[in-house]
Amino acid sequence: MSTVDYSIDGKPYEGFFLKPAGKSNVPVVVIAHAWAGLAENERQKAQLVVDKLGYAAFAMDVYGKGKRGTTVEENQALMNPLAGDRAELQKRLAAGLAVAKQQEGVDANKAAAIGYCFGGLSVLDMARAGMDVLGVCSFHGLLGAPENISSPKISAKVLIEHGWQDPMAKPDDVLAIAKEMTEAGADWQLHAHGNSMHAFTTEGANNAEMGTVYNADADRRSFAHLKDFLAELF
């Protein structure tokens, strides 16, 4: 796994890239990080993409090099400015996608994006903004529509893996995004996992009060859905 330094508006950002050994011209899966910033969870997901699915993986950074959170307060301080300025978030996502496509051994015409929690919101915004990806998959993502794109037309295929008991994306939010995706003309699907909260794919998550709890069954099932989805895209 190699570190990739890049810049946006003259400021430093740091992602990391991994691809199957000895392979070239492979599809790339771009990974959008959760609210703490690029961390071990994204490294694990990148490794899964390479080892289990055989694609390259690029984990991008929307906070900036070295900007990582370790507490709820720090994470909120990092996430909230971008959650409140989706145009800026989308600009940073587009830059990360461009860097991913420039990596050696990648087929730039075959890219998809996946994201977790805040990263789920991020990849949905990539689809809303019409970025050049074949599809996006949100895992226990925030679902609210951005303020800067009122009537998106979505060409990327969309997969949403949702924990039905997620306190950060309630049933009304699910109905709202179903309506939004339909009106956008998207090829979309949504899998709701019962007995599952936010962060159901994040091993070690165990804060029921906050609503962030790992669920091994939902993790396994949602990854199987992702495998089928990416095989269809690529």
Side-chain angles (χ1 to χ4, degrees):
M1 191 173 293
S2 59
T3 299
V4 180
D5 288 303
Y6 59 104
S7 64
I8 305 172
D9 294 336
K11 297 179 181 179
Y13 290 76
E14 181 182 69
F16 51 82
F17 175 70
L18 184 65
K19 77 176 186 70
K23 288 189 176 181
S24 60
N25 204 38
V26 293
V28 62
V29 177
V30 180
I31 300 172
H33 59 70
W35 70 338
L38 207 55
E40 183 58 29
N41 183 62
E42 287 74 32
R43 291 179 182 274
Q44 292 175 359
K45 304 306 184 189
Q47 198 73 54
L48 279 174
V49 166
V50 174
D51 293 345
K52 301 295 185 182
L53 304 180
Y55 308 126
F58 180 77
M60 56 184 168
D61 174 16
V62 299
Y63 288 164
K65 187 171 183 176
K67 294 183 179 180
R68 308 291 183 259
T70 58
T71 67
V72 169
E73 292 75 19
E74 289 175 353
N75 296 345
Q76 288 177 333
L78 288 166
M79 179 184 75
N80 288 346
L82 289 174
D85 186 353
R86 302 282 276 275
E88 176 64 24
L89 172 61
Q90 292 153 16
K91 179 173 71 173
R92 297 184 190 186
L93 293 166
L97 174 62
V99 172
K101 291 186 174 189
Q102 294 165 4
Q103 298 309 301
E104 184 177 355
V106 161
D107 182 346
N109 294 315
K110 292 184 178 180
I114 65 175
Y116 301 83
C117 306
F118 174 58
L121 174 146
S122 296
V123 300
L124 291 172
D125 268 18
M126 292 175 74
R128 289 163 167 142
M131 296 184 200
D132 189 17
V133 288
L134 298 177
V136 304
C137 178
S138 165
F139 291 90
H140 40 83
L142 308 178
L143 304 178
E147 77 289 337
N148 67 314
I149 306 175
S150 57
S151 299
K153 298 300 178 187
I154 296 176
S155 58
K157 295 183 179 181
V158 176
L159 171 62
I160 299 170
E161 296 291 330
H162 171 67
W164 192 249
Q165 293 169 284
D166 187 338
M168 303 174 204
K170 297 182 178 180
D172 283 350
D173 300 315
V174 176
L175 292 175
I177 198 167
K179 183 175 185 289
E180 179 194 359
M181 291 293 113
T182 300
E183 291 177 349
D187 178 344
W188 67 276
Q189 52 186 303
L190 186 150
H191 298 274
H193 299 268
N195 304 311
S196 300
M197 295 185 179
H198 197 70
F200 63 76
T201 71
T202 306
E203 292 187 32
N206 189 28
N207 188 336
E209 182 178 350
M210 190 173 179
T212 55
V213 178
Y214 177 66
N215 182 308
D217 287 337
D219 186 14
R220 173 178 50 79
R221 292 165 181 164
S222 62
F223 189 79
H225 297 156
L226 174 67
K227 180 179 180 180
D228 289 344
F229 182 67
L230 293 177
E232 180 180 305
L233 295 182
F234 298 148

